[in-house]
């Protein structure tokens, strides 16, 4: 008979890790970020703020080199210094950067950023518990199977979130009068900007959808809105 105490302990461990991860992430972002101050981007974020009927959209620069945008569990929006430098160099346009901000706003508005932190800790706990169970029946390879299953699950959930955040960003950009051209053009640049990460990997194994899929989804939404 399978004893459930180790499984319960693994789930409690996951809860503890969630709380610790939120605290650690907040401390890291506080220590390495400053508020974004750029007059051109402010015009665009003010347009989006009016579309959302809020006073302003506050964006922070996260002082790390990798090119990325992120939404913290507490609702703050960040652009990395590496990404902002590409904008300052003219590699990324203001409209393209605005689309990143709109995308991260989507993650916050749709509850993705907080849920992802919960999922990350919860999945670690479930992975541990599942590995314990499978290892009883498949000694040696049970943990590998558990890890593979949870990786596939996490990737699938992440891709779903990305499509949803893209759709939110598209709607916001259209409503704000900015349009989706920058959103779509940025997708064509991302592989090169990020070093071609994920190239050649099957789409279902990636945490982000393939570029053609993302653009096709945006265009499908636009066609639907225009028809309506």
């Amino acid at each position: 008979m399978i004893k459930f105490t180790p499984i319960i302990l693994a789930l409690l461990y996951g809860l503890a890790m969630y709380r610790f991860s939120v605290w650690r992430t907040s401390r890291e972002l506080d220590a390495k970020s400053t508020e974004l101050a750029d007059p051109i981007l402010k015009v665009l974020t003010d347009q989006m703020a009016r579309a959302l009927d809020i006073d302003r959209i506050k964006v922070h620069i996260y002082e790390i080199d990798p090119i990325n945008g992120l939404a913290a569990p507490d609702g703050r929006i960040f652009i990395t210094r590496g990404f902002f430098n590409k904008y300052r160099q003219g590699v990324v346009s203001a409209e393209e950067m605005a689309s990143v901000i709109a995308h991260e706003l989507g993650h916050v508005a749709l509850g993705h950023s907080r849920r992802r932190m919960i999922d990350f800790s919860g999945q670690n706990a479930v992975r541990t518990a599942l590995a314990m169970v499978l290892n009883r029946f498949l000694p040696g390879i049970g943990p590998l199977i558990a890890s593979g299953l949870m990786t596939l699950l996490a990737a699938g959930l992440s891709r779903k979130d990305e499509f949803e955040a893209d759709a939110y960003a598209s709607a916001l950009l259209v409503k704000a009068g900015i349009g989706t051209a920058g959103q779509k053009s940025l997708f064509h640049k991302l592989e090169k900007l990020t070093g071609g990460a994920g190239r050649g990997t099957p789409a279902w194994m990636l945490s982000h959808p393939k570029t053609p899929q993302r653009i096709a989804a945006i265009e499908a939404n636009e066609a639907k809105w225009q028809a309506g």
Side-chain angles (χ1 to χ4, degrees), residues 162-220:
E162 294 305 315
F163 278 124
E164 290 178 354
D166 284 349
Y168 179 98
S170 298
L172 174 56
L173 291 166
V174 169
K175 186 176 181 181
I178 299 169
T180 63
Q183 184 184 24
K184 289 183 284 190
S185 63
L186 180 62
F187 287 144
H188 289 296
K189 298 179 181 180
L190 279 179
E191 277 196 6
K192 184 176 180 180
L193 288 174
T194 57
R199 197 172 340 192
T201 305
W204 50 270
M205 295 253 332
L206 295 172
S207 61
H208 284 61
K210 289 286 192 179
T211 294
Q213 294 174 328
R214 299 180 79 169
I215 293 174
I218 291 169
E219 291 177 342

Side-chain angles (χ1 to χ4, degrees), residues 27-174:
R27 286 284 300 271
E28 167 80 7
L29 293 173
D30 287 343
K32 294 185 178 181
S33 67
T34 54
E35 186 173 353
L36 170 65
D38 182 89
I40 298 175
L41 288 178
K42 187 177 186 304
V43 171
L44 297 178
T45 56
D46 283 349
Q47 286 179 236
M48 291 192 287
R50 287 192 293 272
L52 292 171
D53 197 25
I54 58 177
D55 292 335
R56 71 182 183 118
I57 295 171
K58 191 174 182 179
V59 182
H60 298 80
I61 297 289
Y62 183 24
E63 299 291 345
I64 60 173
D65 291 330
I67 294 171
N68 206 353
L70 63 140
D74 60 10
R76 288 181 293 171
I77 302 298
F78 294 83
I79 299 294
T80 63
R81 175 62 67 181
F83 214 157
F84 185 68
N85 285 343
K86 293 298 182 183
Y87 159 69
R88 295 293 295 272
Q89 294 162 9
V91 177
V92 175
S93 71
E95 290 76 16
E96 288 170 340
M97 189 61 72
S99 77
V100 177
I101 295 169
H103 179 90
E104 299 306 327
L105 285 168
H107 281 311
V108 172
L110 298 170
H112 296 161
S113 50
R114 183 176 294 275
R115 199 203 70 217
R116 280 182 177 183
M117 187 69 76
I118 297 172
D119 285 351
F120 174 76
S121 301
Q123 286 161 11
N124 281 340
V126 172
R127 180 185 289 108
T128 301
L130 187 59
M132 290 177 182
V133 173
L134 291 177
N135 201 47
R136 290 175 176 269
F137 303 101
L138 301 167
I141 64 170
L144 295 176
I145 295 174
S147 181
L149 290 173
M150 294 310 299
T151 297
L152 291 175
L153 174 63
L157 290 173
S158 182
R159 290 194 302 274
K160 179 176 179 291
D161 287 353
E162 294 305 315
F163 278 124
E164 290 178 354
D166 284 349
Y168 179 98
S170 298
L172 174 56
L173 291 166
V174 169

